Amino acid sequence: MTRHRLLLGLLALVLATVASTTLLARAGARPDPCATKGAQARERGAVVTGSGARVLVIGDSYSVGAGVRPDQSWPVRLPGRVRVDGFSGSGFTRGASPCGDVSYATRAAARHLAGVDLVVVEGGLNDVDQPLADLDAGYERLRRALGERPLLVVGPPAVPLLPYDDVAAVDARLAELTASHGATYLSMLDTALTFQPDRLHPDAAGHRVFGDRVAERVGQLLTRRSRPRP
């Protein structure tokens, strides 16, 4: 009887240990970061702001509004009926994101673009560690996906976390590529932003500055597009 009770006690202890380990593992488990980014992208994509000309924003975590409320993210400051296709960590290049091919061109090709009056593509910070040849290829794929639709490319701003020269190199190449295709480029290198503690993402005030700068150029392009031809 004593031995039987001892065995039952040991079995109970083993079961309790297994259960505790399982609970601890579940409590310490972290959600898949790519799944989280995907959920954030869908949540932001469901928010449509404004009215009038249809504007599509394709971008990275800046477009999503990482670290701020959706109504504080810079795209809400743009004129027109604005929809956002943003994915944190993505860029022009396929290798910018560890979440597979979520590059701008791939996402643009998967969208229904009929009726879009202006496409605003924002980014470049996630491409600073990618070969310039890959940046060229990603841009070319993007232009093919967009066809002849009017395009405004918004380059990367200078951020405290990344070397200025690396960001400036991406800015310069994007400016060259955009000019070669007859599209409009807006450099943000000289735009003074304020940042969150990560020294990478703008805070709410930084988003206002960023958005107002882009909104001015978007307004000019939409006005030019709406003018009757002689």
Side-chain angles (χ1 to χ4, degrees), residues 134-176:
D134 290 354
L135 182 62
D136 294 350
Y139 191 98
E140 293 296 331
R141 291 190 303 111
L142 175 65
R143 280 304 311 180
R144 288 197 299 269
L146 295 178
E148 298 302 318
R149 292 173 181 82
L151 171 65
L152 169 63
V153 177
V154 180
V159 299
L161 185 66
L162 300 175
Y164 178 87
D165 289 347
D166 292 350
V167 178
V170 171
D171 173 78
R173 183 57 64 91
L174 288 175
E176 293 173 3

Side-chain angles (χ1 to χ4, degrees), residues 162-195:
L162 300 175
Y164 178 87
D165 289 347
D166 292 350
V167 178
V170 171
D171 173 78
R173 183 57 64 91
L174 288 175
E176 293 173 3
L177 292 168
T178 303
S180 69
H181 285 85
T184 303
Y185 187 71
L186 177 60
S187 176
M188 301 296 283
L189 281 181
D190 62 348
T191 304
L193 305 177
T194 50
F195 294 90

Side-chain angles (χ1 to χ4, degrees), residues 74-188:
W74 68 265
V76 306
R77 309 186 71 80
L78 303 185
R81 187 174 186 269
V82 182
R83 184 181 297 275
V84 175
D85 181 343
F87 194 98
S88 295
S90 65
F92 291 88
T93 59
R94 285 190 170 107
S97 172
C99 298
D101 184 5
V102 289
S103 63
Y104 298 163
T106 297
R107 282 156 44 207
R111 290 193 63 92
H112 180 64
L113 297 173
V116 173
D117 296 296
L118 176 66
V119 179
V120 179
V121 177
E122 168 273 320
L125 287 177
N126 296 313
D127 300 296
V128 297
D129 59 349
Q130 300 298 304
L132 287 179
D134 290 354
L135 182 62
D136 294 350
Y139 191 98
E140 293 296 331
R141 291 190 303 111
L142 175 65
R143 280 304 311 180
R144 288 197 299 269
L146 295 178
E148 298 302 318
R149 292 173 181 82
L151 171 65
L152 169 63
V153 177
V154 180
V159 299
L161 185 66
L162 300 175
Y164 178 87
D165 289 347
D166 292 350
V167 178
V170 171
D171 173 78
R173 183 57 64 91
L174 288 175
E176 293 173 3
L177 292 168
T178 303
S180 69
H181 285 85
T184 303
Y185 187 71
L186 177 60
S187 176
M188 301 296 283

Side-chain angles (χ1 to χ4, degrees), residues 196-210:
Q196 299 175 42
D198 64 4
R199 302 167 62 237
L200 176 64
H201 295 95
D203 56 17
H207 272 276
R208 287 195 298 272
V209 172
F210 195 101

